[in-house]
Amino acid sequence: MSLLENWREVAYSKDMNTKEGQLFWGNYFNIEKGIYEKLLENPKDVVKGTVKELADKFEIPVQVMTGFLDGINDSLVTPNPIETMEEDTEVSLEFDIEKLYYNMVEARADWLYTLPQWDALLTEERRKELYKEQKKSGTVVKEKKVGRNDPCPCGSGKKYKFCCGK
């Protein structure tokens, strides 16, 4: 079983409605927050190494590091091979700042996208733009239906019923 399969089997078997699940995820989110605080302090320093080396660096179990890598992978400049990675797989945590913020908002991880480290990385205005952009991306906007007697949207000047509405 790969590291990722092992992580997902353990993590997603935890029910958030149980005390055990709340404890597991609360602990994980706390560790995750600590890692992001360190990464966001020096975003230009690209953290690289094997999965095991990174787990040791952040003083966490390999399984938890696997969960972290799974979560950050969509925000990386070059995604890691998380599906096939083992303890000795080389990985990089070089992230795209705006993509990371956007994905944190998408994940509703307010304990991450409200970290004070963001103040030095993105202006408040840019963070608001990214927040709104992400929230709009999930909103379905239904276009106004063209009425039979309305002018045709093709620009012909004819009524819709005599033009494209035939």
Side-chain angles (χ1 to χ4, degrees), residues 81-146:
I82 59 169
E83 297 289 336
T84 58
M85 71 184 176
E86 298 298 329
E87 285 189 18
D88 60 348
T89 304
E90 286 283 331
V91 293
S92 168
L93 297 180
E94 182 181 9
F95 56 89
D96 177 310
I97 292 173
E98 290 192 354
K99 198 186 240 186
L100 181 62
Y101 187 84
Y102 181 95
N103 289 338
M104 286 177 172
V105 171
E106 182 178 22
R108 296 186 180 113
D110 58 340
W111 64 95
L112 298 176
Y113 67 79
T114 58
L115 288 171
Q117 286 83 348
W118 286 111
D119 295 342
L121 302 174
L122 296 170
T123 63
E124 186 175 342
E125 183 178 292
R126 184 62 184 143
R127 287 184 305 219
K128 285 181 181 177
E129 287 171 9
L130 288 168
Y131 185 91
K132 286 180 183 176
E133 186 180 311
Q134 194 292 314
K135 293 301 180 187
K136 279 185 179 177
S137 72
T139 305
V140 178
V141 179
K142 209 172 177 183
E143 289 188 28
K144 185 178 177 272
K145 186 176 176 184
V146 180

Side-chain angles (χ1 to χ4, degrees), residues 10-120:
V10 170
Y12 299 128
S13 68
K14 306 294 183 195
D15 183 358
M16 281 295 287
N17 296 322
T18 66
K19 188 172 183 176
E20 179 192 11
Q22 290 172 353
L23 187 62
F24 175 84
W25 284 107
N27 184 43
Y28 173 79
F29 292 146
N30 199 27
I31 291 169
E32 180 185 46
K33 181 180 176 186
I35 295 172
Y36 276 118
E37 287 171 338
K38 291 175 186 171
L39 291 176
L40 294 174
E41 283 294 325
N42 301 303
K44 300 241 187 276
D45 296 344
V46 179
V47 178
K48 291 182 177 184
T50 65
V51 176
K52 175 81 170 110
E53 289 169 349
L54 293 183
D56 292 343
K57 176 183 173 113
F58 291 109
E59 301 174 345
I60 58 173
V62 170
Q63 186 178 55
V64 175
M65 188 71 220
T66 303
F68 180 81
L69 290 167
D70 185 22
I72 196 173
N73 209 45
D74 289 339
S75 303
L76 298 177
V77 173
T78 305
N80 291 312
I82 59 169
E83 297 289 336
T84 58
M85 71 184 176
E86 298 298 329
E87 285 189 18
D88 60 348
T89 304
E90 286 283 331
V91 293
S92 168
L93 297 180
E94 182 181 9
F95 56 89
D96 177 310
I97 292 173
E98 290 192 354
K99 198 186 240 186
L100 181 62
Y101 187 84
Y102 181 95
N103 289 338
M104 286 177 172
V105 171
E106 182 178 22
R108 296 186 180 113
D110 58 340
W111 64 95
L112 298 176
Y113 67 79
T114 58
L115 288 171
Q117 286 83 348
W118 286 111
D119 295 342

